[in-house]
């Protein structure tokens, strides 16, 4: 018997094959209010560095393509494969109690300048942070680059493009874009019938490649989203995977050749990974901020405002406790029928 997933769909993970330089639409499994989409790393089929560009994110779909730097490359790229991760913006609690967070920010900063993102969640330690440009206000090659590792409370990320380099014969990116990000604490877990892990690489990455071991054992269709989380070297580069088994993957840093011809990224970098054993929805509960009852509250238990206490009032109180219902201030006051200053299962039992 397949167990019922905890909560409701808060995100999903999927796979795109045969992605090229032309825009295509990806239809989502679920409908979202404010979805954040992150992608990577790209397969090693083409020889030219590429960035994934996204546009027209809706509640049920988004458009995506691969972009090469121009005019130093022709922006015609062979078919690649990659994994994408979608998460509803906000804070969410998984069935094991882990809190993950997703958000968006408008960004006009190019590395070494960066946008400081302060999490609403205070994580026990620095989480894995995956970032992706969400808009295409100006087309062309642009990606994200961290100016340093994340902390438990924040991370600094800027845009990176070859056009920002002096003497580079390539197009600069001059438009403001919206960047999306997902912060996930390091862990292994089980969600909606699939094992997963989020991990920061202990392995030092370079253009020579490195083996990154998995914490879990996966089928060969393990879905991997990865993002380089350092900028120890100035040269523009992106993360690509060269191969994977059930227990490890081999990743390389793909360096740009618009500024110079050499591709040896000799400076060591690090990365974060989120890996799922297959595609599908990710389940959890929105972590909502319930209004705090005050001493002036009318703590009468009449949550639905009907004028009398009913089973519906008790059910609504349970839903507030479980996070299924975000109450108004008046509803929060009524639900706190024991006057404790908070809403608990005891209040629902008293009403019932």
């Amino acid at each position: 018997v397949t167990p019922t997933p905890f909560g409701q769909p808060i995100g999903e993970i999927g796979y795109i094959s045969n992605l090229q330089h032309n825009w295509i639409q990806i239809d989502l499994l679920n409908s979202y209010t404010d979805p954040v989409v992150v992608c990577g790393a790209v397969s090693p089929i083409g020889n030219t560095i590429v960035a994934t560009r996204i546009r027209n994110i809706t509640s049920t779909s988004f458009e995506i393509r691969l972009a090469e730097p121009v005019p130093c490359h022709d922006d015609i790229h062979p078919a690649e494969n990659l994994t994408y991760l979608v998460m509803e913006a906000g804070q969410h609690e998984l069935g094991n109690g882990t809190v993950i967070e997703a958000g968006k920010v408008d960004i006009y900063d190019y590395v070494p300048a960066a946008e400081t993102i302060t999490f609403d969640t205070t994580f026990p330690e620095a989480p894995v942070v995956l970032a992706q440009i969400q808009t295409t206000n100006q087309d062309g090659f642009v990606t994200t680059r961290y100016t340093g590792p994340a902390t438990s409370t924040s991370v600094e990320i800027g845009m990176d493009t070859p056009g920002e380099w002096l003497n580079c014969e390539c197009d600069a990116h001059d438009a403001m874009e919206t960047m999306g990000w997902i912060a996930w604490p390091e862990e292994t877990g089980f969600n909606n019938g699939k094992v997963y892990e989020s991990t920061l690489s202990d392995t030092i990455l370079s253009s020579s490649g490195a083996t990154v071991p998995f914490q879990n054992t996966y089928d060969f269709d393990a879905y991997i989203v990865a993002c380089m989380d350092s900028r120890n070297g100035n040269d523009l580069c992106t993360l690509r995977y060269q191969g994977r088994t059930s227990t490890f993957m081999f990743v390389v840093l793909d360096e740009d050749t618009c500024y110079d011809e050499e591709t040896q990224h000799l400076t060591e970098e690090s990365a974060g990974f989120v890996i799922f054993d297959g595609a599908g929805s990710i389940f959890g509960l929105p972590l909502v901020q319930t209004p705090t009852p005050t001493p002036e509250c009318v703590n009468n238990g009449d949550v639905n405002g009907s004028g009398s206490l009913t089973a519906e009032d008790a059910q609504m109180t349970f839903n507030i406790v479980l996070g299924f219902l975000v109450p108004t201030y008046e509803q929060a006051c009524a639900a706190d029928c024991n006057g404790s200053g908070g809403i608990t299962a005891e209040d629902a039992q008293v009403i019932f």
Side-chain angles (χ1 to χ4, degrees):
V1 177
T2 302
T4 302
F6 170 84
Q8 63 196 43
I10 57 170
E12 61 190 75
I13 191 160
Y15 189 74
I16 306 173
S17 59
N18 298 319
L19 177 63
Q20 298 179 301
H21 51 278
N22 297 314
W23 290 103
I24 63 170
Q25 178 174 302
I26 303 299
D27 295 321
L28 301 176
L29 297 174
N30 307 301
S31 180
Y32 301 92
T33 300
D34 189 16
V36 174
V37 182
V38 296
C39 302
V42 176
S43 60
I45 299 171
N47 294 324
T48 304
I49 188 172
V50 289
T52 53
R53 295 304 307 272
I54 290 176
R55 70 181 185 185
N56 296 337
I57 299 176
T58 73
S59 60
T60 57
S61 67
F62 65 92
E63 293 180 346
I64 185 172
R65 83 174 188 95
L66 297 177
E68 295 181 353
V70 293
C72 49
H73 300 291
D74 60 12
D75 203 25
I76 298 175
H77 199 84
E80 303 277 7
N81 308 315
L82 61 80
T83 299
Y84 63 87
L85 175 64
V86 180
M87 191 65 59
E88 186 75 80
Q91 296 169 283
H92 309 280
E93 183 178 358
L94 305 181
N96 61 0
T98 295
V99 175
I100 59 178
E101 185 175 343
K104 297 178 182 177
V105 62
D106 289 334
I107 185 170
Y108 192 69
D109 294 310
Y110 293 89
V111 293
E115 185 76 23
T116 299
I117 297 168
T118 301
F119 307 132
D120 290 331
T121 306
T122 299
F123 294 100
E125 54 188 19
V128 175
V129 182
L130 307 171
Q132 171 78 46
I133 303 300
Q134 307 288 286
T135 51
T136 304
N137 296 326
Q138 179 180 332
D139 204 359
F141 184 105
V142 64
T143 187
T144 57
R145 192 76 181 270
Y146 299 60
T147 58
T151 70
S152 61
T153 58
S154 66
V155 66
E156 294 184 351
I157 307 177
M159 289 191 289
D160 205 2
T161 174
E164 297 309 303
W165 288 99
L166 184 65
N167 299 325
C168 176
E169 295 182 1
C170 42
D171 292 345
H173 193 91
D174 301 316
M176 178 180 290
E177 302 285 359
T178 298
M179 179 177 65
W181 53 269
I182 299 172
W184 198 314
E186 281 196 275
E187 65 169 357
T188 61
F190 189 81
N191 191 287
N192 191 23
K194 298 178 289 293
V195 296
Y196 71 87
E197 66 185 85
S198 55
T199 183
L200 296 167
S201 65
D202 294 327
T203 306
I204 300 302
L205 308 177
S206 71
S207 55
S208 300
T211 298
V212 179
F214 298 145
Q215 302 298 311
N216 299 317
T217 299
Y218 297 93
D219 295 331
F220 281 100
D221 61 349
Y223 286 33
I224 304 167
V225 181
C227 196
M228 190 165 54
D229 62 5
S230 63
R231 188 175 180 266
N232 298 324
N234 291 333
D235 284 0
L236 174 66
C237 61
T238 59
L239 193 66
R240 298 179 82 162
Y241 72 89
Q242 293 283 357
R244 61 192 178 196
T245 72
S246 60
T247 57
F248 69 87
M249 62 180 165
F250 192 78
V251 296
V252 299
L253 299 182
D254 192 14
E255 193 172 277
D256 167 53
T257 57
C258 291
Y259 178 66
D260 55 41
E261 291 298 321
E262 62 86 16
T263 59
Q264 295 299 307
H265 196 85
L266 301 178
T267 309
E268 298 170 337
E269 306 286 357
S270 58
F273 305 86
V274 172
I275 307 167
F276 268 77
D277 194 14
S281 296
I282 300 170
F283 280 73
L285 286 175
L287 195 63
V288 296
Q289 299 298 320
T290 297
T292 302
T294 66
E296 294 77 24
C297 276
V298 179
N299 312 112
N300 60 8
D302 184 20
V303 183
N304 65 4
S306 66
S308 60
L309 298 184
T310 66
E312 182 182 4
D313 295 308
Q315 185 61 59
M316 290 177 69
T317 303
F318 269 123
N319 287 342
I320 294 171
V321 174
L322 294 173
F324 294 138
L325 173 65
V326 181
T328 64
Y329 173 73
E330 289 76 15
Q331 289 174 328
C333 285
D336 181 30
C337 60
N338 65 6
S340 66
I343 304 170
T344 66
E346 180 182 346
D347 293 308
Q349 291 170 347
V350 170
I351 295 171
F352 188 75

